[in-house]
Amino acid sequence: MSSGQEPVYPQYETETSQTSKLLRKFKETPFVPIGMAGFAVVVGYGLYRLKHRGKMKMSLHLIHMRVAAQGFVVGAITCGVLYSMVREYMFKPKE
């Protein structure tokens, strides 16, 4: 291959830093980092409560924390899909 060829996907092959790529992705899909942050908060809270769970069984505590974390992530994904649908179909500029 010669070095003078055009890139196949020029928008993806531009030289940018990892931080700028990450910020661009967050602007395109804002609910993904919200879901990730919520998952981290639920996991952190679960670990904190693990020490102070009282007489609750370990397996029951872990099931509750898993359901809470999955619920937050699914909720964030659903909000993101609804947000993108509204932005694309309702507020789309007319051509």
Side-chain angles (χ1 to χ4, degrees):
M1 296 186 115
S2 66
S3 62
Q5 284 185 333
E6 292 286 325
V8 178
Y9 299 107
Q11 69 270 22
Y12 295 114
E13 295 182 11
T14 58
E15 292 188 27
T16 57
S17 68
Q18 291 293 337
T19 306
S20 65
K21 287 180 185 179
L22 187 64
L23 290 175
R24 181 177 49 89
K25 284 289 186 184
F26 284 169
K27 288 178 185 176
E28 290 174 3
T29 55
F31 287 96
V32 171
I34 292 171
M36 291 169 52
F39 177 78
V41 167
V42 169
V43 168
Y45 177 72
L47 289 174
Y48 171 75
R49 291 294 300 166
L50 184 64
K51 189 173 183 180
H52 305 288
R53 70 181 187 272
K55 294 183 179 184
M56 184 186 292
K57 287 184 178 181
M58 172 75 87
S59 62
L60 187 62
H61 176 74
L62 292 176
I63 289 171
H64 287 171
M65 289 300 108
R66 180 185 64 106
V67 169
Q70 284 178 337
F72 195 91
V73 171
V74 168
I77 289 171
T78 303
C79 289
V81 168
L82 291 174
Y83 172 75
S84 66
M85 287 175 60
V86 166
R87 188 178 63 186
E88 184 175 336
Y89 295 115
M90 297 182 100
F91 299 120
K92 188 176 183 180
K94 296 182 179 178
E95 296 176 5

